[in-house]
Every structure is written in structure tokens, then in C-alpha cells.
Amino acid sequence: MFGEDFIVSNQVEIAENKTILWLSASHLVCDIYGGFLNPIMPFIAVKLGFTMAIATILMSVAQICSNMLQPIFGFFADNMRKRFFVFWGLIFASVFIPLAVTAPNLWILTIFMILGCLGGSFFHPQSMGFVNKFSDNNCSNNMGFFVSMGSLGFAFGPLLAAYITQFVGLDKISYTSIIGIFLALLMFKFVPKLSVISPKPEHKEFVKSFKEIFANRQMDLLLLVAMMKSLITSCSCVLLPFLWKGLGYSPFYIGFALFLFIFAGSIGSFVSPRLEKMIGTKFVIYFSMCATLPMMIVFSFTYRTCPIVSLCVFTIIGFTTMLAQPVVLVLAQKILPKYKSIVSGFVNGFCWGLVALILSFMGSIAQKYGIMNVLLVLSFIPAVSSYYVKYLQTEFYKEKKI
């Protein structure tokens, strides 16, 4: 009897691991497309004839569509047993984002960017809910791996887009759609339906669900942390390509710099669950929020005179800013376990959308006062906001089963 139970348990664990791998691979590819536009937007702007201020507004609109709607899609994902959002999310991202570079004018570019970014908004909340549901007692490590694969994809996206732009041609980026479509079909075949592992979910009322989430003080604190984390990442990825282009750097250099930044972030996401066990949840979050400020100051003094040093510092900033991402996400799911996809949409999406609203003004401000000055001011905000981390009740939720 014990042997049969062990075999069954082992088979279940293997099936769960395969599912996590498929979801993580899809996250990797989905976020590759999500990272396409940042390094090449200055060159699209030149091609279509619009300014940095217009470009940042356009990127802001795209991020709002990609992120701010995630809690809404997460609500529907929590109330269904279908894989609709993970499948069509990857399809939309893989088709419309590559098509954006072929747009003949600003309006078509905007439409393609919105549709492509909606794909990311579809995919992320349900896939993160799936990782939680398909994990047994290893949720933190699985989520760390899943998040790090997305960060890795977001890192390779700029590198791939910049390489194709410089050495093959901007319009050829559209050919990459075939990768995402092929993987979406494989995922549809190999990721189990939710009916296999869980009963039909309890129907949740939309307004009641969102009121309960916002009424939770611990959740509000985590949303603050998530928003501060995304502030530096978003502004750096959107504004610094214009700074580097103004200094005469090539598309590939810009893409490589963003690759290093986000690749280091993926490493941070991967090691953070292990680091959390060693030094504690709060210290990981404190470090992630505070360490950016001194490093951004060093970057500001070196980006003109010591480009190699500044690139190394920029890479370390990527590691620190994304270090707390899976820790915050899992903690949020533990606080409100019946809203797994919704809170994933808030932490991983809505907060980035709020930052995108701020970003829509950053282009004009940076154009007037200087990109580096804006980034230095923004770096103060997470450091000051880290004061509120002390109110997080991390120990209370550590033992609570998801």
C-alpha cells in the first residue's frame, strides 16, 4: 500500500513539474515579445517621425493595456476552468507585437501595440494562478522559477529585437510570430485543464472581490512595494534607450544593455525564494527597494566617462529591483488564497499600469529636465517608501496553506 501511494504521489509530482515547465516556457516566450519594443522604439520613432514625448505616451498606453487590466482578467480566470487566457494571451502577444514594427503610421502602430500588450494582460494572471494551483508544497520555488523565466524572456526580447533590427532589418521582426504560435499550440495540448485537478470554482462577485482585496491592509502594503519595484524598472527601460541613442550607441548595444539589466533581474527572481529562507522576507524587500538609489547615483557619474562601469552598475540595478518580485507575489497569494489570479494581476500587472500612467508624463519631463535627472529623483521614492515594509506581517502568513 505504501509503495502504491509513493508511486502515485511521484507520478503526480512529475505531472505537476511538467505543467510548471510548460507554463514557464510559455512565460519565457510571451515576455520575449513583451521586451521587443523598448530598445527599438527610438528607431521606430525616427521611421514614423514622432518625438520621445509621443513615444513615451505610446509606451505608457501599451503598458496600461498590458498591466492595468490584469486584475479584471484574473477575476474571470478565477471563475473558470478553461485555459482561455493563457492560450489566447500568448497568441495575441506573438502576432501583434512583431507586427507593430511594420506599421505604416502612428495609428496602426498604436492598434498593434495595444492588441499585442493585451495578450500579455490575458496571459499573466491566469498563468500565475495556474502555477499556484499546480504546485503542492513547493509553491515559492515554482513561482520563483516561473517569474525568473519571464524575466529571462523580457531580457532576451530587447537583445533579439535589437539584433534583428541592426543586422537583418526592422521589418523582419514580424517573422518571429511563428515561435509563439507554435508554442501556444503545444501548451494547449500539454497543460492540463483545471477540471483535472480541482472542482468547479466558487463564483465570485466582481465588486465584492475587489472591495475585499483593497480592504486588506497587508495587500495594500504589498501593492505599494510592487509599484515601487516597477517604477525604476519601467522608467529605466523606456527612457535610457533614448539617452544611449543620443550618445550615439547602436541598436544592438542598447538591446544588450537592456538584456543585461533584465537578465540580472531574472537571476534575482530565481534566487529570491532561497535568499528569503536565509535572511527573511522583510530584508529581501528592504534591500530591493533601498539599494537602487546609491547605484543610480554611481550610474549618473559614470555613464559618460566610464561606460563599462556604468553598464555593470546598471546590470546590478536590474538584479536588485526584481529581487523581491516572486517573494511579494507568493505572499500576496497567501494573504488572499481564494483570489490567486486576481491578486497576481494586481501585483504583477495593475501596479505596473499605475506606473505607466506616471510614465506618460515622464517623456515630456525628461525632455525638459534631462533623463538622468528624472531617474535620480525617481530612485528616491522606493527608498523612502521602504519605511512601510516594517508593517508587513510576513510571519503570520508563512505557515498558512495556500
Side-chain angles (χ1 to χ4, degrees), residues 4 26 49 70 87 89 105 111 129 150 195 198 290 321 333 356 384:
E4 292 179 358
S26 301
Q70 283 193 30
F87 177 73
N105 56 60
I111 292 171
S195 56
S198 64
C290 294
T321 53
Q333 290 179 332
V384 173

Side-chain angles (χ1 to χ4, degrees), residues 55-268:
T56 52
I57 292 174
L58 190 61
M59 294 296 288
S60 174
V61 170
Q63 286 197 29
I64 289 170
C65 294
S66 178
N67 298 312
M68 212 160 187
L69 299 177
Q70 283 193 30
I72 297 175
F73 297 132
F75 169 80
F76 291 109
D78 276 340
N79 282 282
M80 61 172 24
R81 286 187 292 177
K82 297 184 181 295
R83 301 161 297 174
F84 175 89
F85 290 114
V86 291
F87 177 73
W88 286 107
L90 185 53
I91 292 288
F92 268 52
S94 61
V95 170
F96 290 107
I97 291 179
L99 275 179
V101 300
T102 67
N105 56 60
L106 182 62
W107 298 109
I108 300 298
L109 173 66
T110 304
I111 292 171
F112 283 162
M113 287 180 64
I114 288 174
L115 290 175
C117 290
L118 278 174
S121 194
F122 284 173
F123 178 85
H124 284 92
Q126 186 171 52
S127 61
M128 289 178 178
F130 274 21
V131 170
N132 192 301
K133 290 173 182 176
F134 281 102
S135 298
D136 187 11
N137 297 317
N138 205 24
C139 184
S140 292
N141 287 336
N142 285 341
M143 189 64 74
F145 177 72
F146 175 83
V147 170
S148 68
M149 290 297 282
S151 298
L152 192 63
F154 202 63
F156 274 102
L159 191 64
L160 179 60
Y163 179 87
I164 295 173
T165 299
Q166 184 164 339
F167 298 108
V168 182
L170 184 64
D171 292 345
K172 300 300 187 295
I173 288 176
S174 59
Y175 295 163
T176 62
S177 292
I178 189 66
I179 301 171
I181 295 171
F182 181 68
L183 183 59
L185 295 174
L186 289 176
M187 183 179 61
F188 189 76
K189 176 176 175 61
F190 291 111
V191 173
K193 295 179 180 179
L194 279 182
S195 56
V196 174
I197 64 162
S198 64
K200 187 174 181 180
E202 177 187 354
H203 179 72
K204 302 176 181 66
E205 296 180 16
F206 185 86
V207 175
K208 182 180 178 182
S209 299
F210 280 68
K211 280 185 177 179
E212 186 174 344
I213 291 170
F214 282 118
N216 189 300
R217 189 186 178 198
Q218 292 295 300
M219 190 65 198
D220 292 339
L221 291 173
L222 288 175
L223 293 179
L224 173 66
V225 172
M227 189 168 71
M228 293 301 98
K229 174 184 64 64
S230 65
L231 183 67
I232 300 301
T233 302
S234 293
C235 291
S236 295
C237 288
V238 172
L239 294 177
L240 282 178
F242 286 92
L243 178 74
W244 286 318
K245 185 178 184 298
L247 293 173
Y249 289 109
S250 68
F252 186 73
Y253 176 90
I254 296 172
F256 183 68
L258 292 181
F259 163 77
L260 291 177
F261 178 81
I262 306 168
F263 180 75
S266 72
I267 296 174

Side-chain angles (χ1 to χ4, degrees), residues 15-44:
E16 289 177 352
N17 289 339
K18 287 182 178 179
T19 301
I20 299 300
L21 285 174
W22 279 111
L23 289 169
S24 299
S26 301
H27 194 199
L28 170 75
V29 172
C30 185
D31 281 7
I32 283 177
Y33 294 114
F36 268 11
L37 295 176
N38 283 327
I40 61 174
M41 183 54 69
F43 304 92
I44 296 175

